[in-house]
Amino acid sequence: MSTSYNVNELKPAGKMMIHAIISAYAVLCVIPFILVVAISVTDEKTLGQMGYSFLPTKLSIDAYRYILTGSNMVIQAYGITILTTVLGTILGLLVTSLYAYAISRKDFKYGRFFTGYAAITMLFNGGLVPWYLVCTKLLHLNDTFYALIIPYLISAFYVIIMKAFFQSGVPDSIIESAKLDGAGEFRIFFSIVTRISLPAFATVGLFLALSFWNDWWLPMMFIEKQSLVNLQFLLYRIQNNMVFLTSGLVSSDASASVADMPAESARMAMAVLATGPIILAYPFVQKYFVKGLTLGAVKG
Amino acid sequence: MSKIVNRTKSSPSFFRELNRNKALFLMVLPGAFLFLLLSYLPMPGVLIAFKDMKFFSSNLFTNFFQSKWVFFDNFKFFISSPDAYIITRNTILYNISFIVLGNVFAVVFAIMLDEIKSKYFVKTYQSAFLLPYILSWIILSYILYAFLSPDLGFVNRSILEPMGLPSVMWYSETKYWPFILFLLNTLKYTGYNTIIYLAAIAAIDESYYEAAAMDGASKMQQISKITVPMLSGIVIVMILLGVGRIFNSDFGLFFLTPMESGSLFNVTNVIDTYVFRALRGTGDIGMSAAAGLYQSVMGFVCIMTVNMLIKKFDSDKAIF
């Protein structure tokens, strides 16, 4: 293929220029994060003298050691983040896919009604205050673990993406023949539809997982209790006040620990730890991610 | 009258359908319930803006119904404060710059990416472009801080200092922030928009280009005569969707990245951050609700206008 001559390809010079421009922007996208990684592995004293820089003149992993052993707060926040991400993604996928599948069925007379019922929520909302009051004064979500999951379980946007997937990917004939074989609707859904629509589940599941992992908004609205703080919210809390971390110290000699806390590098090490898993997972799931983006744009 | 007629006509068929598709109704139930609680129930709550909301009982509805109507008092306070003008100006101006330049960058990048025929390179570039998109605003605000921290930041210590220039107090000088916020927003969302446009370009029939090339059209001519016109549909829809949300802003960008620096509020405060601060900071529910309703109503007008425009332009793409 590569040897075939295509009359409409750019000349090498033009191509080089495009590569130059695009790779310059690509570097611009990536390099800021590299700075954070570099700071996190730089010796604290060196940081004080030289400032933040891309090249750590003196390497040190004190920041990571400090974070992971000095305070149980980070571990706890990691636990909350992982738990909300796993539970939220599973439950969210379940609720979203069931809803989307039902409204994608042509023989469901109220499919159109429920499509509109979902779509309206994208266009209109009561605003922050009534939503906050319903969540705190009616559902009493404040300072509960559910507050970190329930509000994100369903969104019309994902429903519509999934509906589009089901409409194009699940042939009516399969459903009909399964029905003739005597399978019930739920059986059809769980043993046939889920299997032939794996990419749909992967795509929406990925977006859900990302939104739960990256969430700081829900804890900011609802959480005061330290034991329910997730990673992103912990990062928000220590943004201005690194000493905050020391209130959860395991060590009894807190004053000594505050003094030798590698505050600057630990701050950035936290950011790296909070981002690490999604960056590591990203190359493997990029395909679904891009698919979801384009489909969402066309349908949304 | 018409309601009654409707009822008698639809009820039996509703129950027949309920009976026939019981399972499908069960499937939509959890989602429908969540939409009801979290989206529909708050909707009539916009009326809180016209009330002096007090919490004397544990029942939210009792509180709502028994709170005094103050009609436009909350709005009078809101409109007469200098904030109303500032947050509206900031919200709209930032959004206009994001919509216009954001889409221009994305289209240009998409056209360039499409010219790179190597799948390997396109995939690699895409990964890099999308990295800022998958990072949260908290992480991005940490990254920004690594650059702009007044005493240790990369810009002050590694760029300005070696050049003999004085340090800049980034988190207190308003004049830089419109550019900083624009840069951050562009960095976060250009990758996303580029992918959307790239998909649209990939959907253009290759034979147009082949025919044009046969007739001796240059690359530039092909881009301006084929790619851009073919893209104009989706570009216009994207722009109109942006305009429909022109009174909303990305809360994380405006709230987190300036690290709540009060001296920057003049250029960083937008309607969303104002509503949040009034609710969670000062606890002024009336003011917050008034600003929120103002935003909702303006947003509603924008969406309706936009939908009308889309309908005129391309009725298939209309939202409703």
Side-chain angles (χ1 to χ4, degrees):
Chain A
M1 276 305 276
S2 57
T3 50
S4 79
Y5 175 67
N6 187 341
V7 70
N8 208 17
E9 273 207 36
L10 270 182
K11 291 192 186 74
K15 243 186 183 173
M16 286 297 282
M17 218 171 76
I18 285 182
H19 272 291
I21 296 170
I22 290 191
S23 49
Y25 183 73
V27 167
L28 194 68
C29 287
V30 175
I31 213 154
F33 188 68
I34 305 287
L35 178 61
V36 171
V37 177
I39 297 168
S40 75
V41 294
T42 306
D43 177 65
E44 187 72 12
K45 281 210 185 71
T46 317
L47 281 180
Q49 291 156 3
M50 314 281 289
Y52 298 153
S53 112
F54 281 97
L55 296 168
T57 36
K58 192 174 168 216
L59 282 169
S60 154
I61 52 158
D62 280 355
Y64 289 94
R65 194 181 301 136
Y66 180 84
I67 288 177
L68 295 173
T69 59
S71 161
N72 57 4
M73 230 179 250
V74 179
I75 308 286
Q76 204 172 34
Y78 236 107
I80 294 287
T81 293
I82 291 172
L83 209 58
T84 49
T85 304
V86 171
L87 274 179
T89 306
I90 292 172
L91 285 175
L93 263 183
L94 189 68
V95 174
T96 308
S97 61
L98 283 172
Y99 194 102
Y101 172 68
I103 63 173
S104 78
R105 284 274 299 268
K106 287 190 203 76
D107 55 336
F108 185 35
K109 247 187 162 177
Y110 285 81
R112 274 180 65 90
F113 168 79
F114 282 110
T115 307
Y117 179 79
I120 285 173
T121 65
M122 286 203 288
L123 301 174
F124 309 108
N125 62 76
L128 184 68
V129 175
W131 177 78
Y132 178 74
L133 291 180
V134 165
C135 287
T136 54
K137 308 264 173 183
L138 186 73
L139 306 176
H140 299 290
L141 289 178
N142 35 330
D143 261 340
T144 64
F145 178 70
Y146 310 110
L148 301 175
I149 291 183
I150 289 177
Y152 286 170
L153 279 186
I154 196 160
S155 92
F157 188 65
Y158 298 143
V159 166
I160 285 166
I161 289 182
M162 275 204 124
K163 182 191 166 202
F165 265 116
F166 290 142
Q167 272 172 336
S168 60
V170 182
D172 297 342
S173 54
I174 290 190
I175 298 168
E176 272 157 36
S177 64
K179 268 188 179 167
L180 286 178
D181 291 343
E185 293 286 3
F186 279 94
R187 173 104 188 270
I188 294 173
F189 179 79
F190 284 109
S191 54
I192 300 173
V193 175
T194 50
R195 262 178 226 168
I196 55 178
S197 320
L198 270 182
F201 283 83
T203 303
V204 174
L206 202 64
F207 277 92
L208 278 171
L210 188 68
S211 62
F212 281 108
W213 186 276
N214 275 344
D215 186 48
W216 41 270
W217 169 250
L218 292 177
M220 190 188 254
M221 292 307 288
F222 301 120
I223 302 298
E224 303 277 341
K225 245 192 242 167
Q226 182 56 47
S227 59
L228 289 173
V229 167
N230 70 8
L231 267 180
Q232 305 284 335
F233 190 49
L234 184 64
L235 278 169
Y236 168 74
R237 282 193 170 180
I238 63 172
Q239 192 168 40
N240 291 311
N241 184 11
M242 198 60 203
V243 184
F244 183 82
L245 255 193
T246 55
S247 59
L249 277 180
V250 183
S251 146
S252 55
D253 191 5
S255 59
S257 304
V258 175
D260 53 45
M261 171 172 69
E264 296 301 328
S265 47
R267 197 197 297 274
M268 297 303 166
M270 282 271 312
V272 173
L273 286 177
T275 317
I278 51 172
I279 291 192
L280 291 180
Y282 179 61
F284 303 102
V285 294
Q286 187 189 1
K287 192 176 77 184
Y288 296 114
F289 200 73
V290 169
K291 196 171 181 182
L293 283 185
T294 45
L295 199 69
V298 175
K299 292 288 157 193
Chain B
M1 268 306 275
S2 64
K3 253 187 189 162
I4 297 166
V5 173
N6 249 333
R7 262 238 162 119
T8 48
K9 246 170 77 184
S10 70
S11 288
S13 80
F14 172 78
F15 287 112
R16 208 180 311 137
E17 176 72 9
L18 184 64
N19 200 34
R20 198 166 64 96
N21 277 327
K22 217 179 288 162
L24 297 182
F25 275 99
L26 265 178
M27 286 180 181
V28 294
L29 193 66
F33 186 62
L34 284 169
F35 278 134
L36 178 72
L37 281 181
L38 297 166
S39 300
Y40 284 95
L41 208 54
M43 281 182 196
V46 293
L47 293 175
I48 290 171
F50 302 101
K51 290 203 156 209
D52 179 19
M53 190 72 181
K54 288 272 187 297
F55 298 93
F56 23 68
S57 103
S58 60
N59 186 322
L60 180 64
F61 298 104
T62 320
N63 290 324
F64 175 71
F65 287 116
Q66 292 187 358
S67 286
K68 253 198 342 240
W69 288 98
V70 292
F71 302 101
F72 287 94
D73 280 8
N74 289 326
F75 290 91
K76 274 185 211 141
F77 280 120
F78 171 62
I79 300 287
S80 60
S81 77
D83 292 333
Y85 165 71
I86 291 173
I87 60 178
T88 308
R89 177 200 67 188
N90 288 348
T91 306
I92 291 179
L93 288 184
Y94 278 119
N95 270 322
I96 289 175
S97 74
F98 295 165
I99 293 168
V100 174
L101 289 172
N103 281 299
V104 169
F105 287 156
V107 168
V108 170
F109 278 134
I111 290 174
M112 288 203 283
L113 268 181
D114 187 60
E115 290 304 330
I116 298 172
K117 303 292 178 193
S118 146
K119 267 208 170 121
Y120 170 77
F121 275 114
V122 172
K123 206 184 154 209
T124 312
Y125 288 140
Q126 265 183 2
S127 308
F129 277 27
L130 274 177
L131 178 70
Y133 181 77
I134 62 170
L135 301 180
S136 74
W137 278 121
I138 289 274
I139 302 291
L140 289 171
S141 78
Y142 270 67
I143 290 177
L144 185 71
Y145 180 80
F147 282 87
L148 300 186
S149 159
D151 46 347
L152 298 175
F154 181 76
V155 176
N156 277 355
R157 293 293 286 271
S158 298
I159 297 178
L160 297 180
E161 207 179 88
M163 286 167 77
L165 295 168
S167 296
V168 174
M169 293 293 122
W170 295 101
Y171 288 94
S172 48
E173 295 237 25
T174 50
K175 63 183 171 202
Y176 302 110
W177 279 86
F179 301 103
I180 294 171
L181 292 174
F182 175 75
L183 191 74
L184 282 171
N185 192 75
T186 307
L187 209 56
K188 188 159 165 81
Y189 293 113
T190 300
Y192 172 97
N193 290 328
T194 301
I195 284 178
I196 289 168
Y197 288 131
L198 190 59
I201 293 176
I204 300 173
D205 194 338
E206 198 60 33
S207 60
Y208 289 127
Y209 295 103
E210 278 158 19
M214 295 281 211
D215 290 345
S218 71
K219 203 83 224 181
M220 273 306 170
Q221 286 171 321
Q222 290 177 32
I223 289 169
S224 65
K225 297 274 156 54
I226 302 172
T227 314
V228 173
M230 294 292 267
L231 273 186
S232 63
I234 185 163
V235 172
I236 288 174
V237 170
M238 293 283 282
I239 288 176
L240 290 180
L241 287 174
V243 173
R245 290 192 292 258
I246 205 162
F247 280 87
N248 296 72
S249 28
D250 197 335
F251 181 82
L253 170 64
F254 294 95
F255 186 79
L256 295 175
T257 61
M259 307 225 320
E260 291 171 69
S261 167
S263 49
L264 296 176
F265 279 180
N266 200 20
V267 291
T268 58
N269 211 3
V270 289
I271 303 176
D272 286 283
T273 51
Y274 179 86
V275 170
F276 177 82
R277 288 197 182 101
L279 174 70
R280 298 286 279 149
T282 51
D284 191 339
I285 288 182
M287 194 82 128
S288 185
L293 181 57
Y294 160 72
Q295 181 184 40
S296 297
V297 170
M298 300 302 266
F300 175 73
V301 172
C302 282
I303 285 177
M304 285 311 191
T305 316
V306 162
N307 192 54
M308 208 181 69
L309 289 173
I310 297 181
K311 240 181 199 162
K312 253 190 193 151
F313 170 78
D314 177 359
S315 56
D316 291 345
K317 293 261 164 48
I319 312 167
F320 36 76

